[in-house]
Amino acid sequence: TDRKRTYTYRYNQRKDHNMPDGKDLRIEWRGEILSDIGYGLQARRILKPLIDAGVDVKLIQAEHYIPEERRIKDLFWLEQLEKSKDKEDAPIRICYEIPPVAEYRKDAFNICYAMWESNKYPREWIGKINGGQAFIAGCPGLIDSAKNAGVKVPIGCIMPPLDTDVWCPEGPKTSIMGVETDDVVFMINANWIPRKNFGDLMTAFCCTFSGVKDVVLVMKTWGGNNSAEFKKQIKDNVHNKLNGLHHIDRPKVLILSDLLPEEQVIKLMRRADVYTTVSHGEGFDLPMVQAMSLGKICVATRFLGHDYYMTERNSIAVDYSLMPVIDAQAPGYTADQMWSRPNMDHYMECLQRAYKMVKDKSGQLEDMQEHARSTIQSKFNNDTITEGVIKTIRTLAKPALERECSKS
C-alpha cells in the first residue's frame, strides 16, 4: 500500500541519518556469548550493534554449563572472544546473567543485568544486585519488579533489537503437513515450560473452535536437551490435555518440537495468520516481537514485556488478573511473587475475533498488520535500541565515566 511504502521510506531516512556513536565508551560484558538460545542469543543481538557503533567491548565468557553442541560456531564472535583476551580492563562491567553467578570486579563500576517474568525479582538475588553500583532490567515493567523486590541501586532498562529487514512479511513460507491452503493458522513459538501456560492456550483454542474445520493451532516448541525422549514427553502431555477436553469436536492441533535455524523459523512463522500466547509472564518475548515484525495479528495478555509494544491498534489484548506464582518448576519463583492468569472467557472471544478478521480479510485486518510491523520497526530497530543502550550505560555509570575522563 502507499501508506506502507511511505512509512518504509521515512523509516529508512531516519535510520540512515541517526547512527549512534559509542566510540569513547569502553565496557566489559560478562555472561553467555555463544549459547544458541536464551541469554546468549539476546546478548549477541545487543552487542553486535554496539560494536558496530564503535563501543569498545571486552567479552568475558561465562557459559561453562552450556554444552558444546549448543554453542554457535560463528567466526565473528569467536574472533571477538579472541581479541578480548588482550584487552585492558574497562571502567564498566556489565554482568548479563542471573545475579547469583555474577562476578563483580573490585575497581569497576559493576552493573547487573537480568531478565525476569513476575512482578518481583527473586529475593535471593537482591543482595547481589545491591552489591553492585547499578541494575539493568529487561523491560520497563521489570523496573517496578526490581523496586518491589527491594533493589536500591539506580535502575535502567535495556531491550534487544530485531532485524526487521530479515523478519519481514515478504518472502517464502513453509508448508506444514496437515495444514490446508485455506486453513486459518494460529501459532505459538515457545519452550515447553509451565510458565508458557500451554494448557490454557490449548483449552481456549479447542473450546473456541469446536467443530470448526478450517482452523489449526501449530505449537512450535522445544525444551530440555530436545532429545527423542523429551519430544515424546511433550506429545504425551499434549495428547493427555486434549483427551481431557470432553464433549467438544476438537479442531486440529499440531506439534513441531524441533530446534530450527532462524531462516526456517521465519518461513514457518510467515505461514501463520495469528500468533497467540497467554504466557504467565514475559520479560521480552522475542517470538512475539518477531511475529509482529512479520505483520501477524497477535492475541496475548499485556503483562510486563508485552505491555511495552502492544496497543489497541496493533494487537488484540486479553484481559488478565494476577495470581501467586506456584508450580513454576524453576528456581527463583516463589508464592510471594505474582504473574498473570488470562480471563478464559475473554481469551476465547479474542481468538474468535482474530479468526473472523482473517476470514473477512477486512481493512481492519490490514490496519492491524501494518501497525504491528511499524511498531516493531520503530521501537526495536538497531539504531534506536543501540542509542538507548549507550545512553542507559552512560547515565547509570556517569561517576565511573567522569573518573575515567579525569584520568585521561
Side-chain angles (χ1 to χ4, degrees):
T1 65
D2 290 339
R3 176 170 48 182
K4 188 182 296 185
R5 282 195 294 269
T6 300
Y7 181 85
T8 301
Y9 170 72
R10 289 175 180 167
Y11 169 73
N12 287 335
Q13 272 194 323
R14 184 194 55 73
K15 184 168 68 171
D16 291 341
H17 287 87
N18 290 295
M19 295 295 290
D21 182 7
K23 290 180 181 177
D24 60 343
L25 185 61
R26 293 194 305 122
I27 67 170
E28 296 174 3
W29 184 283
R30 185 183 191 277
E32 294 178 14
I33 306 298
L34 301 180
S35 174
D36 60 353
I37 59 174
Y39 272 54
L41 175 63
Q42 301 293 55
R44 292 191 299 276
R45 291 179 182 274
I46 296 167
L47 289 169
K48 180 60 166 62
L50 276 182
I51 294 169
D52 290 343
V55 177
D56 186 350
V57 180
K58 177 179 180 178
L59 300 178
I60 302 173
Q61 197 173 7
E63 51 187 343
H64 61 276
Y65 49 87
I66 302 295
E68 193 62 33
E69 64 271 16
R70 299 300 300 272
R71 301 186 186 198
I72 65 167
K73 304 298 189 291
D74 186 278
L75 183 60
F76 174 83
W77 292 107
L78 294 174
E79 288 180 345
Q80 292 298 316
L81 284 168
E82 194 62 31
K83 290 178 182 177
S84 293
K85 294 177 182 179
D86 298 324
K87 289 187 176 184
E88 296 181 356
D89 292 342
I92 302 164
R93 171 175 284 198
I94 298 173
C95 296
Y96 184 42
E97 52 195 335
I98 61 172
V101 301
E103 291 187 5
Y104 297 154
R105 204 184 81 234
K106 187 176 181 180
D107 57 344
F109 189 96
N110 295 288
I111 304 175
C112 193
Y113 175 14
M115 307 295 292
W116 197 241
E117 298 88 14
S118 78
N119 75 331
K120 189 185 296 185
Y121 276 86
R123 64 175 70 186
E124 61 266 31
W125 289 11
I126 305 309
K128 190 60 172 283
I129 292 173
N130 286 334
Q133 284 71 52
F135 179 66
I136 295 175
C139 72
L142 284 173
I143 293 176
D144 286 336
S145 297
K147 292 177 180 178
N148 291 342
V151 172
K152 302 300 183 184
V153 294
I155 305 172
C157 171
I158 289 178
M159 303 182 80
L162 183 72
D163 190 336
T164 57
D165 292 333
V166 172
W167 286 87
C168 63
E170 299 79 18
K173 303 177 183 179
T174 296
S175 59
I176 305 170
M177 186 177 297
V179 176
E180 304 298 329
T181 304
D182 295 332
D183 283 345
V184 177
V185 178
F186 286 73
M187 188 176 290
I188 181 173
N189 179 18
N191 54 332
W192 190 262
I193 55 175
R195 177 171 59 83
K196 299 298 183 177
N197 198 18
F198 280 94
D200 280 350
L201 187 156
M202 288 187 282
T203 297
F205 180 83
C206 291
C207 292
T208 300
F209 299 113
S210 175
V212 179
K213 303 303 181 185
D214 65 346
V215 66
V216 58
L217 172 62
V218 176
M219 298 194 300
K220 166 70 181 70
T221 188
W222 69 91
N225 57 8
N226 223 48
S227 63
E229 181 181 356
F230 194 86
K231 292 178 183 180
K232 182 180 183 302
Q233 180 183 331
I234 291 174
K235 291 182 179 179
D236 289 345
N237 288 345
V238 170
H239 291 154
N240 289 339
K241 179 67 178 181
L242 296 179
N243 289 336
L245 300 175
H246 304 298
H247 305 298
I248 62 170
D249 182 4
R250 292 201 310 264
K252 289 182 286 188
V253 177
L254 304 178
I255 310 165
L256 302 177
S257 54
D258 289 321
L259 284 169
L260 301 175
E262 184 177 50
E263 59 270 18
Q264 291 187 33
V265 177
I266 294 171
K267 293 175 184 178
L268 176 68
M269 291 179 68
R270 282 195 183 119
R271 178 58 188 89
D273 297 292
V274 181
Y275 187 88
T276 184
T277 173
V278 282
S279 167
H280 288 304
E282 296 290 341
F284 178 60
D285 200 349
L286 176 62
M288 185 157 139
V289 171
Q290 292 167 334
M292 292 179 70
S293 184
L294 293 173
K296 303 303 175 185
I297 301 298
C298 286
V299 179
T301 51
R302 285 185 63 175
F303 179 59
L304 290 181
H306 289 170
D307 190 50
Y308 178 67
Y309 48 84
M310 288 181 70
T311 70
E312 292 182 0
R313 293 290 299 275
N314 68 19
S315 54
I316 300 175
V318 178
D319 292 344
Y320 68 91
S321 58
L322 294 180
M323 64 177 287
V325 176
I326 56 174
D327 197 31
Q329 299 177 26
Y333 294 100
T334 50
D336 62 326
Q337 301 171 33
M338 303 283 277
W339 61 12
S340 68
R341 173 171 53 188
N343 177 317
M344 291 294 280
D345 182 55
H346 188 245
Y347 184 30
M348 292 171 65
E349 291 178 9
C350 292
L351 293 174
Q352 186 63 52
R353 177 186 167 194
Y355 171 81
K356 190 174 186 301
M357 286 174 64
V358 174
K359 294 295 289 184
D360 291 348
K361 294 182 172 62
S362 64
Q364 184 184 11
L365 172 67
E366 183 179 352
D367 184 73
M368 187 170 286
Q369 290 171 330
E370 290 184 12
H371 276 85
R373 177 158 171 76
S374 65
T375 296
I376 304 307
Q377 284 180 311
S378 61
K379 285 183 176 290
F380 294 107
N381 69 81
N382 279 339
D383 293 347
T384 297
I385 290 292
T386 302
E387 185 177 352
V389 171
I390 292 172
K391 182 178 180 180
T392 296
I393 295 172
R394 290 190 195 281
T395 301
L396 291 175
K398 186 177 179 181
L401 294 174
E402 288 177 344
R403 286 196 300 271
E404 183 77 1
C405 184
S406 65
K407 289 179 183 178
S408 60

